[in-house]
Amino acid sequence: MGAMGIFPRASLLVLAAAPAPAKRNPKAAQASKAALALADQFVIPAYRDLVQRCEAQEKAWTAFAAKRETGDFPSLRAAYNATADSWANAQFIKTGPITLFLRYDRFAYWPEARNATSRALDQLLISANPNDLQPDSFAHDSVAGQGLTALERLLYEGDDPAALLKAPGKDGAWRTQVGSGIARNLSLISRDVLKDWTAPDGVRAAIAANKGWKSLFADAPEAARLLLTDLVVGFKLMHDVKLLPVLGANAAVAKPKSAEAWRSGRSQRDLKLNLAAAQAMTKALADVTTPAHRAKIEGLLTSAAKAIDAMPADLGEASADPKQRGRVDAARVAIKAAQTEIAKTLPGDVGVILGFNSLDGD
C-alpha cells in the first residue's frame, strides 16, 4: 500500500511542511567500532584457520588416494577432526558471505532432516559419475551430501569404514574419489568466504568505510547488530538445538543420536569449542562494554566452560543415563545463563538492537 493509502492528503501536506528529523543512533560510532573489532579479532582469523584446515584435509585425501589400498586412514580422521574443530569455532557466524549460495548448509548440514545426509551420500556413491564431484555440480546438488556431515559418514559409519575406502577395484576407488571431492569442495567454500571478507571490496572494507555489502547489511552499525545477534543465536544453537532435543524430558525419552557428530564422538567437544568461540567474540567487544558487564559475562562464560568440561564426551549417551544426565543438564543451565546476560547487556553497550533470527520461533 502506498503512502496515499495510509494518510489523508491534508496529513501529507503537514508532513511535507515539517518533516520529522531522522533518528540518529547516538552510539553509531561505538557500534561501528564493535563491528570492526569482531571482524578483525574473531571472524577473519576464524575463517583463515578454516581455510588452512580445509586445505590440509584436501591434501590428506589426495595423499590417501595416491596409495589407497595401503593408505593412512587415521590421517583422514585426524584431518577431519581438525577441520571440524575449526568449523566449531566459526559455526556461530551467520553474517556475511557464508550465507550466500547456501554455503553454511553446504559446509555442514546439521541438524539434518529425515537422515538426509545418508540418503544424499548413498546417491552419490551409487552414481559413480565424476561429473557429480565438480564444483558446479556440488553448488546445485543437495546440501546434505557435500560437507562435514557427509565426510563423517565416510570416516565413521559402519563396522570398518577404512576397509570400504581401501577395497580393491572400482567401489573403493570411487568411494575415495567421493571423499576427495567433498574435501575439495570444503576448501573451495572456505576460500571463497575468506576472500569475500578480506577483498578490497569485501565485507571488512565495507564495515571500515561504514557502507553496506551486497544487501546483507546497510552500514557498519547494522553489521554490528547482525554479528551480535549471531553471538546470541550461537547460545540458542547450543541450548535449544544441541542439548534440549538430546536430553528430552527425562532419560527414558532422551535421543542420543540427535547429538551433533555423535558418530565421531565430537558432541561434547563441539560444545566446548563453541563456548570458546563465544568467549573470543565477547573479548573482541571489550573496548565497548562496561567493566561491570564484562566481568559478569566472563564469570558466566567461565562457569559454562567448567560445566561443559564436566560432561561426558558422549553427551547423547550421558543424556540417556539417569546417573550422568545431570551433568549435561548443568551445562545446559550454565549456557542459558550466559546467553541471558549477554542478550540483556551487550546490545546496550554496543549500541544496537538485536535482530530476528531463525531460532527465535514465531
Side-chain angles (χ1 to χ4, degrees), residues 86-134:
S86 190
W87 175 248
N89 182 54
Q91 192 175 19
F92 283 6
I93 310 167
K94 290 193 173 183
T95 293
I98 192 69
T99 64
L100 301 178
F101 314 115
L102 297 176
R103 285 168 173 161
Y104 189 93
D105 286 333
R106 290 171 57 209
F107 199 96
Y109 181 63
W110 187 87
E112 58 181 297
R114 298 181 297 278
N115 204 26
T117 297
S118 289
R119 289 188 285 109
L121 182 60
D122 287 346
Q123 290 177 0
L124 189 58
L125 291 170
I126 291 170
S127 76
N129 184 352
N131 291 330
D132 291 340
L133 302 179
Q134 297 304 308

Side-chain angles (χ1 to χ4, degrees), residues 266-315:
R266 293 190 51 89
S267 50
Q268 183 254 15
R269 180 171 180 79
D270 283 345
L271 277 172
K272 184 176 180 177
L273 292 169
N274 286 162
L275 200 282
Q279 290 173 311
M281 291 182 79
T282 57
K283 184 178 180 180
L285 296 171
D287 289 345
V288 298
T289 54
T290 69
H293 289 165
R294 188 160 63 249
K296 187 169 184 180
I297 289 170
E298 287 175 356
L300 289 169
L301 290 174
T302 298
S303 296
K306 290 179 179 178
I308 292 173
D309 283 343
M311 286 197 314
D314 189 338
L315 73 86

Side-chain angles (χ1 to χ4, degrees), residues 332-349:
R332 179 195 64 77
V333 171
I335 288 168
K336 188 66 176 180
Q339 176 206 327
T340 300
E341 182 64 22
I342 286 173
K344 182 175 73 174
T345 60
L346 285 192
D349 287 349

Side-chain angles (χ1 to χ4, degrees), residues 185-256:
N185 183 57
L186 291 172
S187 291
L188 179 61
I189 292 172
S190 64
R191 284 195 296 265
D192 285 347
V193 171
L194 178 62
K195 180 181 178 181
D196 282 345
W197 269 95
T198 58
D201 59 348
V203 179
R204 198 270 178 198
I207 292 173
N210 195 24
K211 295 180 179 179
W213 193 81
K214 294 193 176 182
S215 301
L216 296 183
F217 56 83
D219 53 23
E222 186 178 6
R225 176 180 66 82
L226 294 172
L227 288 167
L228 190 56
T229 300
D230 286 348
L231 174 58
V232 175
V233 174
F235 281 92
K236 291 175 73 67
L237 174 68
M238 288 191 287
H239 182 274
D240 295 1
V241 181
K242 295 193 177 189
L243 287 175
L244 277 183
V246 182
L247 278 165
N250 53 59
V253 295
K255 297 181 178 179

